[in-house]
Amino acid sequence: MTLKQKLIEWESRIEAWKQSGQSVSQWCQEHDLKSHQMYYWMKELGLKSLVRMKKYRSYKGKVGNIAPNILDRNFNAEKPNQNG
């Protein structure tokens, strides 16, 4: 297969991926391709992915248990920096 034929083939694959609305990795997995191949050919053709990577978020929700108030301490304060 010549380079020109490969370019035409990958242009059609990339166009099909764009029409699908899926991420590159999802589309490649369905079509038995490696995502790095897709990125390589997109770079060769001067194209960029329109799907952005998700932003890292470290919040994991409520983690751990709150200890019971066995000593019956008063943790409420009427003013800031006031001992209970």
Side-chain angles (χ1 to χ4, degrees):
M1 185 179 275
T2 66
L3 180 61
K4 191 171 184 175
Q5 290 171 331
K6 284 183 182 181
L7 285 172
I8 293 169
E9 180 181 340
W10 277 99
E11 280 179 340
S12 65
R13 286 180 180 172
I14 291 170
E15 192 60 37
W17 160 70
K18 284 182 181 179
Q19 297 296 324
S20 72
Q22 295 176 320
S23 68
V24 172
S25 58
Q26 288 173 337
W27 191 87
C28 288
Q29 201 170 28
E30 285 183 10
H31 293 85
D32 297 324
L33 297 170
K34 305 281 188 222
S35 59
H36 69 272
Q37 291 174 315
M38 181 74 93
Y39 288 119
Y40 169 81
W41 283 104
M42 287 172 68
K43 187 174 112 180
E44 288 293 311
L45 296 168
L47 303 172
K48 290 188 177 181
S49 173
L50 298 177
V51 179
R52 291 185 172 196
M53 292 185 66
K54 290 186 177 180
K55 185 177 179 181
Y56 174 75
R57 290 182 173 86
S58 63
Y59 180 72
K60 296 179 182 173
K62 187 177 178 182
V63 178
N65 296 328
I66 298 174
N69 189 6
I70 299 173
L71 301 175
D72 197 27
R73 302 260 323 257
N74 181 13
F75 292 103
N76 299 324
E78 294 176 14
K79 298 183 234 173
N81 300 324
Q82 177 186 12
N83 292 336

